[in-house]
Amino acid sequence: MASSSTIDYEIITDPWDPKCVSACTMYYPGNEPEDTELLLEKIRGKLDERIHNHTLAEEYRIMNEQIVKSQGFDVDFSKLRYLFDFQPAFLDELYPLGKPDTGRVYFGRLAAEALEIYNKREGTGFEFVDVQKAYIYLNSGKVYFITFVAKDPLDKKTKVFQAKVIHVFCREIVHSFCRLKPNQEGTCEDEDSIAEKASVRRTKKRKHGGLEINQEW
């Protein structure tokens, strides 16, 4: 296992590098399938010409600058018109590769595995609590950027972690890295409080064309 000092957290943007993460639109504008707009509304809300007025080139820049700056863990999709191959996971819906589990359960399992590796490497005993969010980069396989909460059993305080996990050709799971989220302030939330918040998130819904869609808050 490589030491934390030798792990490269930066996003690779060289298209010739197999580890490259560079978001692209999934469909050429005007050729999107009929259900694309429904998915986009789930990701960023209804189309608003006052907000969603960037050119395709501008959206490429906006999306990939955010990915590079946050190293894949913090992307704002609210101002995007087009559907990219870098997307948020819907944690409280069934995840195709995790059936019959929801995304929260599936990514929680991956996060717990990543945390176990982290604990062995760092000599710590953090315990997984809950997934905050996850992003999916769709390539030849899938790259997951998971943000989650874990508890230190010694002082009962929680910390936010980030894990990058690669699902190679939808078969082999490779844990790229797991780390404490950089520059975070200490927190004293207990596990019960976090679990209660997660329960509230799962029960909130928003209306969409007469349908109720689970919405993360």
Side-chain angles (χ1 to χ4, degrees):
M1 177 66 64
S3 67
S4 57
S5 61
T6 63
I7 297 174
D8 185 5
Y9 298 114
E10 301 301 325
I11 293 293
I12 297 173
T13 57
D14 179 1
W16 299 106
D17 192 311
K19 296 181 180 180
C20 172
V21 176
S22 181
C24 298
T25 52
M26 297 189 69
Y27 308 102
Y28 190 79
N31 293 329
E32 302 94 337
E34 291 183 0
D35 58 353
T36 299
E37 187 59 32
L38 292 176
L39 177 56
L40 278 167
E41 287 190 11
K42 290 176 66 176
I43 292 173
R44 51 91 164 120
K46 285 187 174 296
L47 181 67
D48 185 338
E49 297 291 347
R50 296 169 299 176
I51 300 174
H52 307 112
N53 54 10
H54 300 101
T55 66
L56 183 57
E58 288 173 335
E59 291 211 359
Y60 267 88
R61 176 184 56 79
I62 292 170
M63 171 66 86
N64 285 292
E65 281 184 354
Q66 291 186 88
I67 293 172
V68 170
K69 182 178 180 181
S70 69
Q71 297 172 337
F73 292 97
D74 191 11
V75 176
D76 178 9
F77 297 87
S78 64
K79 296 182 179 180
L80 300 177
R81 175 191 294 267
Y82 303 106
L83 182 65
F84 283 81
D85 54 7
F86 190 99
Q87 303 171 9
F90 302 110
L91 296 179
D92 297 316
E93 298 181 7
L94 290 179
Y95 184 65
L97 294 181
K99 287 182 178 179
D101 293 331
T102 63
R104 187 175 300 281
V105 173
Y106 177 76
F107 291 110
R109 184 162 56 245
L110 294 179
E113 292 173 358
L115 184 61
E116 182 179 358
I117 296 171
Y118 174 91
N119 283 330
K120 289 180 179 179
R121 187 185 73 225
E122 302 295 333
T124 52
F126 283 98
E127 300 171 352
F128 172 77
V129 177
D130 191 29
V131 175
Q132 283 191 339
K133 60 183 176 180
Y135 297 135
I136 306 168
Y137 175 57
L138 307 165
N139 203 337
S140 53
K142 299 183 190 299
V143 182
Y144 304 135
F145 297 86
I146 309 169
T147 301
F148 65 96
V149 177
K151 179 183 68 174
D152 187 338
L154 297 179
D155 60 13
K156 307 302 181 182
K157 293 183 179 181
T158 59
K159 292 286 187 180
V160 179
F161 281 78
Q162 296 172 331
K164 180 180 178 181
V165 181
I166 302 172
H167 203 164
V168 183
F169 301 114
C170 301
R171 294 192 300 273
E172 181 185 0
I173 295 292
V174 176
H175 289 276
S176 180
F177 67 77
C178 178
R179 68 179 182 189
L180 282 162
K181 181 179 179 180
N183 305 318
Q184 65 178 297
E185 297 181 359
T187 177
C188 58
E189 277 193 298
D190 58 33
E191 184 175 2
D192 292 338
S193 298
I194 295 172
E196 182 178 354
K197 289 181 179 179
S199 177
V200 170
R201 285 198 305 269
R202 287 192 286 270
T203 58
K204 289 188 176 181
K205 298 175 182 286
R206 66 179 175 87
K207 291 287 185 178
H208 170 68
L211 300 176
E212 285 191 338
I213 298 176
N214 291 330
Q215 176 74 25
E216 285 295 300
W217 293 75

